[in-house]
Amino acid sequence: VVLTSGTISPLEMYPKILGMSNVVATESFSITMERKCLCPLIVTHGPDQVPISSRFSLREDPSVVQNYGSLLEQLVQTIPDGLVCFFTSYRYLEQVLEKWYETGVISRVLQHKLLFIETADVVATTYALNLYRQACDSGQGAVFLSVARGKVAEGIDFDRHYGRCVVLFGVPFQYTLSRELRARLEFLRQHYDIKESEFLNF
């Protein structure tokens, strides 16, 4: 019996990779999002009515970065407990943080909640995550800035007061033309007969 995370999908790909030919069943239990306490929103414009877009060509646009900051400032004043924010990459997180420091967004956020940041260092990120939880447990509340498909995004449960609000600053699409991804796709096709579309759905 093999039990895996629900984020490992599509499941049909893994028996091929693991060389398992006598797979009886693979089952994926879906979660329900029908709770009344969920309120999904898509923010398309900032307070200055400038469109907010995570399109790669507009990512470094000062008005987009400033509007992301304004959104975060408004949320920390309204949302109790923990607020988790995901960026599309470590590089983009660092770029936005640098601009937020320069424009005073960080100092204004810190007036309401503590701020913790995921880094590429596992030890530092684990320490930051523990401090984030302590801040939420104490009632002070905190913001955790992290990376979609990063260490924190995979396998950490931000339930109850640890994740009263989750914000995605952009959608983390895979860059399908990267050499690394192309090589991985070719390897999976040659060795395991896994089609490109199967892997990219993951």
Side-chain angles (χ1 to χ4, degrees):
V1 176
V2 177
L3 300 174
T4 68
S5 164
T7 59
I8 298 179
S9 174
L11 288 174
E12 298 77 30
M13 180 171 70
Y14 292 93
K16 292 179 188 175
I17 293 173
L18 296 172
M20 300 167 71
S21 57
N22 295 337
V23 176
V24 176
T26 56
E27 185 70 39
S28 179
F29 300 102
S30 59
I31 61 168
T32 178
M33 296 299 227
E34 295 178 6
R35 294 174 19 203
K36 294 188 181 350
C37 63
L38 294 178
C39 180
L41 300 172
I42 298 174
V43 180
T44 59
H45 290 77
D48 58 2
Q49 295 309 307
V50 171
I52 296 177
S53 174
S54 63
R55 187 177 307 147
F56 189 78
S57 60
L58 297 175
R59 272 194 195 156
E60 295 179 30
D61 185 304
S63 60
V64 171
V65 173
Q66 188 59 40
N67 280 325
Y68 278 158
S70 297
L71 175 64
L72 182 60
E73 287 179 52
Q74 292 171 3
L75 289 172
V76 296
Q77 295 174 47
T78 310
I79 306 293
D81 303 322
L83 194 144
V84 185
C85 303
F86 293 100
F87 290 81
T88 54
S89 67
Y90 287 106
R91 182 174 174 267
Y92 189 53
L93 170 59
E94 290 169 5
Q95 288 174 340
V96 170
L97 274 176
E98 184 179 334
K99 295 293 183 196
W100 284 356
Y101 272 114
E102 292 170 4
T103 57
V105 170
I106 297 296
S107 60
R108 291 189 294 274
V109 166
L110 288 171
Q111 292 173 6
H112 302 279
K113 292 186 184 294
L114 295 175
L115 184 66
F116 300 95
I117 303 166
E118 175 182 355
T119 66
D121 184 331
V122 177
V123 175
T125 297
T126 303
Y127 186 64
L129 192 56
N130 288 335
L131 292 175
Y132 169 81
R133 287 187 172 137
Q134 288 176 24
C136 292
D137 289 340
S138 71
Q140 182 173 12
V143 177
F144 199 93
L145 303 179
S146 55
V147 176
R149 296 188 177 163
K151 295 166 193 64
V152 172
E154 298 296 326
I156 304 294
D157 192 7
F158 291 100
D159 62 334
R160 303 181 326 266
H161 61 295
Y162 299 127
R164 295 284 183 217
C165 180
V166 177
V167 180
L168 291 175
F169 290 117
V171 180
F173 292 115
Q174 284 190 3
Y175 179 55
T176 57
L177 299 179
S178 80
R179 280 187 243 149
E180 183 181 323
L181 178 61
R182 302 302 322 161
R184 185 177 298 145
L185 291 171
E186 183 64 22
F187 177 83
L188 290 172
R189 189 185 60 73
Q190 285 179 357
H191 291 85
Y192 300 108
D193 196 31
I194 294 173
K195 297 182 189 99
E196 183 175 309
S197 60
E198 279 184 81
F199 185 80
L200 291 177
N201 283 340
F202 169 66

